Amino acid sequence: MIYEDRALAFTEAPATAGGLMRQRFRWSFGTLQAVYKHQAAFLKNKAMGLFALPNILIFQILLPLVSPFIDLMFVAGVVHYLV
């Protein structure tokens, strides 16, 4: 393998905020579908059931849902500190 320092990568990204929201919703919905499909792993496979699936639920579903609230509370805290 040869290192190429002038390599370029072309990616596609949503052009609008609405497109970005639809993309993130599809990703989150796909994650929920995968967890639902493998829900039997909670009981059958200890490592998957105790670590992997809860990790997915917490860090890919729950935290993104509450992160706007956390951002608002941070801004409110900074404003309260400065005033």
Side-chain angles (χ1 to χ4, degrees):
M1 185 183 323
I2 299 173
Y3 173 73
E4 178 57 57
D5 61 345
R6 293 174 287 143
L8 296 175
F10 295 98
T11 62
E12 294 183 19
T16 64
L20 179 65
M21 295 301 290
R22 285 190 300 277
Q23 179 192 51
R24 301 299 176 169
F25 177 78
R26 283 193 312 270
W27 289 356
S28 296
F29 190 69
T31 301
L32 282 175
Q33 285 177 321
V35 170
Y36 180 76
K37 179 180 179 182
H38 298 289
Q39 66 185 347
F42 279 108
L43 300 174
K44 292 181 183 178
N45 187 338
K46 297 290 186 197
M48 180 83 88
L50 291 176
F51 300 108
L53 292 177
N55 188 357
I56 290 170
L57 288 174
I58 292 169
F59 292 107
Q60 292 185 353
I61 302 298
L62 295 177
L63 285 181
L65 286 176
V66 298
S67 65
F69 177 71
I70 294 169
D71 293 341
L72 287 173
M73 295 309 296
F74 172 74
V75 170
V78 169
V79 168
H80 180 68
Y81 178 76
L82 295 175
V83 174

